[in-house]
Amino acid sequence: MDTKIRIGIVGYGNLGKGVESAIAQNDDLELAGVFSRREPGDLKVNSNAPVLRLNEIEKHVDDIDVLILCGGSKNDLPEQGPALSKLFNTVDSFDTHAKIPEYFEAMDASARPNGKTAIISVGWDPGLFSINRLYGESILPEGATYTFWGKGLSQGHSDAVRRIEGVKGAVQYTIPVESAVDKVRNGSQPELTTREKHTRECFVVLEEGADEAEVERAIVTMPDYFADYDTTVNFITEQQLKEEHSAMPHGGFVIRSGKTGEANNQVMEFSLILDSNPEFTSSVLVAYARAAYRLNKSGEAGAKTVFDIAPGLLSPKSAAQLRKEIL
Amino acid sequence: MDTKIRIGIVGYGNLGKGVESAIAQNDDLELAGVFSRREPGDLKVNSNAPVLRLNEIEKHVDDIDVLILCGGSKNDLPEQGPALSKLFNTVDSFDTHAKIPEYFEAMDASARPNGKTAIISVGWDPGLFSINRLYGESILPEGATYTFWGKGLSQGHSDAVRRIEGVKGAVQYTIPVESAVDKVRNGSQPELTTREKHTRECFVVLEEGADEAEVERAIVTMPDYFADYDTTVNFITEQQLKEEHSAMPHGGFVIRSGKTGEANNQVMEFSLILDSNPEFTSSVLVAYARAAYRLNKSGEAGAKTVFDIAPGLLSPKSAAQLRKEIL
């Protein structure tokens, strides 16, 4: 084994904790430090990695090969990403689909002139699901692609609800509409609107004195996140939230239904059943950190997405070993 | 649209016909010619592409951007591959898993010094299934990977049976053992031998005077293909073969069952349900021909596998368009 790849974590929420435990599953990686806005003395991490001040991160440019940015897409990454990818190779899970092109440009403009590699929007969607959409439409050009999520708790959407004024705590579940799924599996290639495919269900704890109607309106009208869906908002107590909504399961599937030759049906499907959504997303981030390191070593600077990353770069095994063992 | 990518087909069996029809589904590709050992006058193809002599293929080096090699892995590709990848960029579906490393080396030695790009072992297994095995073990390092095939007709195995002396026609079905599949889906990560996962069933038409027992022995003891499986051999008439075994369905699934964090189960699955196995394999070959063309244009010579190909290279869309539309 060569020297280990040194990973830094920025932000120690569910995703940061997941990255910490995923790194421990990979012999070629080591956790060099956890960076947080919190005072180092106030933050206890699960490993024995040092806790460091985010505002002093530039002191550590020589100690870290890849930074994994574990902040949220709405408020953290749009600022942190471009600032940190000037100094470090980065991997993040930016997941506001509609704003990816603009985020990509910002990351490319900061990383490329500084010789850094920034892989954005890594995880399962965007991420593995995106790759499967791409394989599907590239291999079966005459067909239709369907993505269904859930039933599961969405980190990004829960986070968005939590940032609304008056919200003390919240979780959001995404639920596929069964009748729509059935139509797709039958190979009938139905046309489905966003609203017909999924519903969204929120469980919200209010701050004292907050207005139910106002919070509900802020949720259901939120662009990108909720405006295009039928959303149900349930108000619950803090104890209910803790007791009934602490697990973070998720999953879903991407189906490409296409035709070849005279009229042969061909169906490709990728599916995930996840006990822990953040831990799985973290595991994907960690595999792509290995790719970021290798790409940067080979001189590939600038912003990248999962579409730009050859699968072999994710594995600790050599190309020859992969050909022999799993091709 | 830029100039179309000019594709040549070598060999006009099921795979060659599938490639021909897949090219017609892609606006950025055109079929420049079908190369065959047969006399051009004796071979009628479904499109209006020219039929050309394989032994004069070197005359066409300037007319073709990528050759898709549609011969068999047992007798055709080991000779054709290294010979043709000296002259052309190539894509093939070499599928004798155990011999991939040696085939890769032969293709690399012929393509690289001549500035050509040769993508080997493309299809769904090896191919898309391999990619999913790689994603699975790279993202969930603590876990187990399972590949199941069928129920379906295997081209490679049928071909291997047909090459046995005394065999006039044959098909081979691969059948997953249901009890094994159930164990895997339950997340119990069982250890399964090759023999416990699948059975193989052959339907064989003998040449006149051929010896049943001898043919059966030749099948069930064939290394790589049958020796490690429980194989059933049924002898049928030519008419039965035609009437009951002409369709070429296949499918299967790759499952990665892993654990993250304390003990959270995470299950990734990729599955295919194919009405026509050769047409689907052909569709994969055609998408990778696009990648071969682009890699070669960017100076990436030598042998490659699906592990070396970034997903975005398969799509006719630009990187910016992919980020905007399907990431």
Side-chain angles (χ1 to χ4, degrees):
Chain A
M1 185 67 68
D2 303 35
T3 315
K4 294 189 180 194
I5 302 172
R6 301 163 301 169
I7 310 289
I9 291 172
V10 175
Y12 196 69
N14 289 323
L15 213 52
K17 287 174 192 162
V19 167
E20 181 181 38
S21 86
I23 289 171
Q25 292 187 328
N26 288 279
D27 291 341
D28 62 331
L29 310 178
E30 68 181 2
L31 177 54
V34 175
F35 294 89
S36 171
R37 291 194 203 92
R38 285 178 269 180
E39 272 301 299
D42 296 345
L43 177 60
K44 197 177 147 33
V45 300
N46 295 327
S47 65
N48 54 9
V51 178
L52 303 161
R53 288 188 175 83
L54 181 55
N55 64 7
E56 295 175 354
I57 197 167
E58 70 281 1
K59 291 183 186 169
H60 299 275
V61 288
D62 295 331
D63 311 329
I64 286 167
D65 296 310
V66 183
L67 264 191
I68 301 183
L69 311 183
C70 299
S73 299
K74 209 168 158 67
N75 293 330
D76 299 325
L77 294 176
E79 289 183 19
Q80 282 181 357
L84 294 174
S85 59
K86 281 194 174 76
L87 302 168
F88 297 91
N89 300 314
T90 62
V91 178
D92 69 54
S93 63
F94 186 82
D95 69 356
T96 311
H97 291 261
K99 295 186 175 169
I100 285 173
E102 130 193 18
Y103 184 67
F104 180 90
E105 295 305 330
M107 291 296 272
D108 198 54
S110 66
R112 188 178 297 275
N114 293 292
K116 300 301 176 189
T117 305
I119 311 182
I120 72 158
S121 300
V122 171
W124 57 275
D125 198 352
L128 301 180
F129 273 22
S130 320
I131 290 171
N132 279 278
R133 286 188 286 264
L134 189 154
Y135 282 137
E137 68 171 43
S138 300
I139 290 164
L140 299 172
E142 294 182 8
T145 304
Y146 301 87
T147 304
F148 290 92
W149 301 274
K151 183 186 174 176
L153 188 147
S154 159
Q155 282 178 282
H157 286 77
S158 297
D159 204 46
V161 175
R162 284 186 207 113
R163 287 175 196 283
I164 291 171
E165 211 181 307
V167 172
K168 190 171 187 182
V171 296
Q172 190 267 188
Y173 296 98
T174 305
I175 303 160
V177 175
E178 272 189 44
S179 58
V181 178
D182 289 344
K183 279 184 203 163
V184 171
R185 295 228 165 150
N186 292 343
S188 65
Q189 297 189 21
E191 284 194 37
L192 299 168
T193 63
T194 298
R195 201 175 294 274
E196 286 169 334
K197 289 172 65 190
H198 299 89
T199 55
R200 295 194 181 277
E201 189 169 20
C202 305
F203 293 85
V204 176
V205 182
L206 291 178
E207 299 277 8
E208 205 155 315
D211 184 276
E212 273 197 11
E214 199 172 313
V215 167
E216 179 164 350
R217 192 200 51 77
I219 295 171
V220 301
T221 61
M222 192 186 296
D224 301 332
Y225 285 84
F226 293 99
D228 299 334
Y229 299 85
D230 289 335
T231 302
T232 313
V233 180
N234 307 286
F235 293 98
I236 59 175
T237 66
E238 199 158 8
Q239 193 177 342
Q240 281 176 308
L241 184 72
K242 196 178 168 182
E243 286 175 6
E244 296 163 26
H245 303 282
S246 290
M248 286 172 283
H250 217 316
F253 37 98
V254 175
I255 302 175
R256 179 68 177 182
S257 169
K259 286 195 193 298
T260 62
E262 293 303 311
N264 285 312
N265 279 317
Q266 315 275 27
V267 179
M268 305 166 67
E269 178 167 344
F270 177 75
S271 67
L272 294 172
I273 305 172
L274 310 174
D275 274 2
S276 167
N277 179 5
E279 282 179 8
F280 185 76
T281 300
S282 299
S283 295
V284 182
L285 286 166
V286 165
Y288 277 90
R290 181 180 289 122
Y293 173 78
R294 290 171 170 176
L295 284 171
N296 191 259
K297 282 274 171 204
S298 69
E300 297 265 4
K304 312 279 174 193
T305 74
V306 293
F307 296 152
D308 305 313
I309 313 297
L313 292 171
L314 303 184
S315 172
K317 296 180 179 172
S318 72
Q321 200 180 356
L322 289 172
R323 287 193 294 270
K324 187 174 158 63
E325 293 178 9
I326 66 170
L327 188 63
Chain B
M1 186 67 68
D2 303 35
T3 316
K4 294 188 178 194
I5 301 172
R6 300 163 302 169
I7 310 288
I9 291 173
V10 175
Y12 197 68
N14 289 324
L15 213 52
K17 287 174 192 162
V19 167
E20 181 181 36
S21 87
I23 289 170
Q25 291 187 329
N26 288 280
D27 290 342
D28 62 330
L29 310 178
E30 67 182 3
L31 177 54
V34 175
F35 294 90
S36 172
R37 291 194 202 92
R38 285 178 268 180
E39 272 301 300
D42 296 346
L43 178 60
K44 197 176 146 31
V45 299
N46 295 327
S47 64
N48 55 9
V51 178
L52 303 161
R53 288 188 173 83
L54 182 54
N55 62 9
E56 296 175 355
I57 197 168
E58 69 282 2
K59 292 184 186 170
H60 300 275
V61 289
D62 295 332
D63 311 330
I64 286 166
D65 296 309
V66 183
L67 265 190
I68 300 183
L69 311 183
C70 300
S73 299
K74 208 168 159 68
N75 294 330
D76 300 325
L77 295 176
E79 289 184 19
Q80 282 180 358
L84 294 173
S85 60
K86 281 193 175 77
L87 303 169
F88 297 91
N89 301 314
T90 62
V91 178
D92 70 54
S93 63
F94 185 83
D95 69 356
T96 311
H97 291 260
K99 296 186 174 169
I100 285 173
E102 125 193 23
Y103 184 68
F104 180 90
E105 294 305 330
M107 291 296 272
D108 198 55
S110 65
R112 188 179 297 274
N114 293 292
K116 300 301 177 189
T117 306
I119 311 183
I120 72 157
S121 300
V122 171
W124 57 276
D125 197 353
L128 301 180
F129 273 22
S130 320
I131 290 170
N132 279 277
R133 286 189 285 265
L134 189 154
Y135 282 137
E137 67 171 43
S138 301
I139 290 164
L140 298 172
E142 294 182 7
T145 303
Y146 300 87
T147 303
F148 289 93
W149 300 274
K151 183 186 175 178
L153 188 148
S154 159
Q155 281 178 282
H157 286 77
S158 298
D159 205 46
V161 176
R162 283 186 208 113
R163 288 174 195 282
I164 292 171
E165 210 180 307
V167 171
K168 190 171 188 182
V171 296
Q172 190 268 186
Y173 297 97
T174 305
I175 304 160
V177 176
E178 271 189 47
S179 59
V181 177
D182 287 345
K183 279 183 203 162
V184 171
R185 296 227 165 153
N186 291 342
S188 66
Q189 297 189 21
E191 282 194 37
L192 298 168
T193 64
T194 298
R195 200 175 293 277
E196 286 169 333
K197 288 173 65 190
H198 299 90
T199 56
R200 296 194 180 277
E201 189 168 20
C202 304
F203 293 86
V204 177
V205 182
L206 291 176
E207 299 277 8
E208 207 157 312
D211 185 275
E212 273 197 11
E214 198 172 315
V215 167
E216 180 165 347
R217 192 201 50 78
I219 295 171
V220 302
T221 61
M222 192 187 296
D224 299 333
Y225 286 83
F226 293 100
D228 299 334
Y229 298 84
D230 289 335
T231 302
T232 312
V233 181
N234 307 285
F235 293 99
I236 58 173
T237 66
E238 200 159 9
Q239 194 176 344
Q240 282 176 307
L241 184 71
K242 196 177 167 183
E243 285 175 6
E244 297 163 26
H245 303 283
S246 292
M248 287 172 284
H250 217 315
F253 37 97
V254 175
I255 302 176
R256 178 71 176 180
S257 170
K259 286 196 193 297
T260 63
E262 293 303 310
N264 284 312
N265 279 315
Q266 315 275 26
V267 180
M268 304 167 67
E269 178 167 345
F270 177 74
S271 68
L272 294 171
I273 305 172
L274 309 174
D275 274 2
S276 167
N277 178 5
E279 282 178 10
F280 186 76
T281 301
S282 299
S283 296
V284 181
L285 285 166
V286 166
Y288 277 90
R290 182 181 288 123
Y293 174 78
R294 290 170 171 177
L295 283 171
N296 191 259
K297 282 275 171 200
S298 67
E300 295 266 3
K304 312 279 173 192
T305 74
V306 294
F307 296 151
D308 305 312
I309 313 297
L313 291 170
L314 304 183
S315 173
K317 295 179 180 173
S318 72
Q321 201 179 355
L322 289 172
R323 288 193 294 270
K324 186 175 158 58
E325 292 179 10
I326 66 170
L327 190 63

